[in-house]
Amino acid sequence: LMIFLCEECWYICSKWDLKMFMQTLVLKVRFMDNTAVLSYLMRDFATLKTNQLHYLLQLAGYNTRTILEVLIQHITATQCLDKTTRYLLHNINLPLCILQDEDLYHSLFQTLSEASDITNDDLRMTLRLANETTKHCMRTRNPDSQTLVPITVYDTRKWFDVEERCDKLMMVYICISEGLIDSMYDVIEIAARVIMRSEPGTGEIVEFC
């Protein structure tokens, strides 16, 4: 069912540039275990348009592993960079990628370095991206102590668990009190997902507000 909904929203957005259905779908899918959906949508990876790639990254949310795996497979098969590959490399959150799965991140850049038909411009681009990611993601400098401290990483599995647990708005309160939700953005997003699934007329929304 979820793959069917994705296909329909994808088609409507591409055909008539109506974004509201895709935006609603993004809100519903990004905190789910969306690996199967992403793999299905990326099956014709080379044919994806820019607006589709944009929503693909939004649908992925914190699931960067699936996108990296498809990128590695595609680059291995083509031995070069095409427009879709360049777009994803420029727009995916590479610092998050390396912190979530360092081995997979290094495998991506190893594959890029070994691609036989990569152009000099693309090679320079990948070197620049790797350098920027390393500086941004691996460490950040504390200006007072001049010591290196690690950056906090989002735990994707934690958010899958939080999303499953928050079946009522009261559970959002509980997750906040337990420190499982610690930003206003996440409170709004998870609360909106619960409201979308709630029965109308229950008074739960008024109570939460």
Side-chain angles (χ1 to χ4, degrees), residues 100-167:
Q100 285 196 333
D101 195 327
E102 186 173 348
D103 289 339
L104 194 59
Y105 170 87
H106 288 305
S107 178
L108 169 65
F109 279 89
Q110 181 70 25
T111 304
L112 287 166
S113 68
E114 295 174 352
S116 58
D117 294 331
I118 192 170
T119 66
N120 289 334
D121 286 343
D122 285 337
L123 184 57
R124 283 192 290 269
M125 179 199 72
T126 58
L127 288 173
R128 177 176 55 81
L129 289 173
N131 184 49
E132 291 174 354
T133 302
T134 300
K135 289 192 296 185
H136 177 81
C137 179
M138 293 298 291
R139 300 285 177 175
T140 185
R141 186 171 292 278
N142 185 325
D144 296 326
S145 64
Q146 293 299 304
T147 58
L148 297 178
V149 294
I151 293 175
T152 302
V153 187
Y154 246 104
D155 184 347
T156 308
R157 184 66 255 171
K158 183 190 81 169
W159 285 106
F160 290 160
D161 294 339
V162 169
E163 193 278 331
E164 291 175 0
R165 186 177 177 187
C166 291
D167 56 342

